[in-house]
Amino acid sequence: MQITINTPALLFPCISLLLLAYTNRFLAIANLIRGLKSKYTSAHEPHVLKQISNLRRRVIIIRNMQALAIASLFCCILCMFLLFGEYEQLGQLSFAVSLLLMMVSLILSLSEIAISVNALKIELKDVESDLEKSDLEKENN
């Protein structure tokens, strides 16, 4: 397969948007942790501590997602330099590594989303039981 210098350039917008999305997720979680830390400091609720632990795990995953996306961008740039220098096989290898790094980053993103959804399910369990009680009361009246 022959790739040109334009081929790795196609990934630049994708990687940039991924990094932006990852940064937004990181900032949202950082704000949640700060809020929960204040809440825990004042009330020492074990349920808040579990949430902080879950968020800490997610922050580590997001950090790894960002590192892999940055490494993918670096490999894209390296690929372009190698192709520019007419080192086609090394350029192809660098591009393949870039794609692999992006794929691992996306897999981590999917796992972070799964953790987030599970955390929301746990958080909403109390609300769902209250909703069920409310629905039963409406049916009885």
Side-chain angles (χ1 to χ4, degrees):
M1 177 182 109
Q2 182 131 8
I3 62 174
T4 66
I5 200 164
N6 294 328
T7 305
L10 293 172
L11 291 182
F12 277 54
C14 176
I15 295 171
S16 298
L17 288 173
L18 276 178
L19 285 171
L20 182 62
Y22 293 168
T23 301
N24 286 339
R25 285 159 83 173
F26 178 82
L27 292 173
I29 291 173
N31 285 334
L32 280 172
I33 290 172
R34 287 183 187 101
L36 287 172
K37 181 186 177 279
S38 298
K39 188 175 180 180
Y40 182 75
T41 303
S42 63
H44 291 300
E45 296 175 19
H47 132 94
V48 173
L49 198 57
K50 287 179 185 177
Q51 287 179 323
I52 291 172
S53 175
N54 178 288
L55 292 172
R56 181 185 325 188
R57 184 173 163 212
R58 288 177 56 199
V59 164
I60 291 168
I61 292 172
I62 292 172
R63 178 201 61 199
N64 293 337
M65 290 164 27
Q66 289 174 323
L68 288 166
I70 290 167
S72 177
L73 182 60
F74 178 81
C75 285
C76 275
I77 294 168
L78 179 62
C79 174
M80 292 175 77
F81 274 118
L82 291 168
L83 292 174
F84 186 72
E86 296 183 9
Y87 297 101
E88 190 172 327
Q89 285 185 328
L90 288 175
Q92 288 176 349
L93 179 62
S94 178
F95 186 65
V97 170
S98 174
L99 291 175
L100 183 64
L101 290 170
M102 186 187 304
M103 189 169 65
V104 175
S105 175
L106 290 170
I107 289 168
L108 285 177
S109 176
L110 187 60
S111 71
E112 191 271 332
I113 289 170
I115 292 169
S116 174
V117 168
N118 285 335
L120 287 174
K121 283 181 183 177
I122 292 168
E123 189 68 27
L124 293 176
K125 192 177 268 188
D126 297 338
V127 174
E128 287 175 354
S129 65
D130 289 347
L131 282 173
E132 289 173 2
K133 288 177 187 176
S134 174
D135 289 343
L136 285 174
E137 288 176 4
K138 287 180 184 177
E139 288 176 9
N140 291 334
N141 291 329

